[in-house]
Amino acid sequence: MKNNTQVTFEKTSHVFGKVIGGETVGCYFGFTNTGKYPLLINKVDPGCGCTSVKYPQEPVLPGQKAEIEVRFDSSGFSGYQYKVIQVYANIEDKMKELVVSANVIN
């Protein structure tokens, strides 16, 4: 498909480390549109209701930086948690995966 662009993430995973059960923790995944066309993020699928996301609704222009905010609510979880967030956009692979993990202590 033409008008596909490229995105470069500063990181694709984040480790929260030890999290007290019931605590909500968050992080940011910064990225840059490194392609020639505006980046359009169609959808960001957090995978489960325990994880929420905020992402740019407007096109990210070539060379422009932006970020995706990810928040994980550890309520009801115990032990090691590994959550995959799928980012769908007008990029060559159609989708990028971001990962957050935490060790929930109750």
Side-chain angles (χ1 to χ4, degrees):
M1 187 163 115
K2 62 180 188 160
N3 294 350
N4 277 357
T5 194
Q6 295 177 318
V7 64
T8 302
F9 279 90
E10 293 168 10
K11 62 180 180 179
T12 54
S13 64
H14 183 83
V15 178
F16 291 116
K18 290 183 181 174
V19 175
I20 305 300
E23 189 179 12
T24 298
V25 291
C27 68
Y28 293 93
F29 289 95
F31 63 89
T32 304
N33 177 349
T34 51
K36 295 179 181 169
Y37 300 101
L39 173 68
L40 305 168
I41 298 178
N42 307 315
K43 180 174 87 165
V44 178
D45 184 359
C48 82
C50 64
T51 308
S52 64
V53 293
K54 287 184 188 168
Y55 60 94
Q57 304 295 317
E58 300 295 318
V60 178
L61 300 177
Q64 196 174 36
K65 292 179 183 284
E67 60 190 14
I68 296 173
E69 179 184 359
V70 176
R71 298 189 62 73
F72 168 65
D73 179 356
S74 66
S75 299
F77 290 95
S78 181
Y80 186 74
Q81 302 299 315
Y82 182 89
K83 306 294 175 188
V84 177
I85 298 103
Q86 296 177 325
V87 180
Y88 294 90
N90 62 325
I91 53 177
E92 211 166 278
D93 319 351
K94 305 284 185 262
M95 191 260 293
K96 289 269 189 195
E97 288 188 341
L98 306 175
V99 175
V100 294
S101 60
N103 187 11
V104 181
I105 311 295
N106 290 314

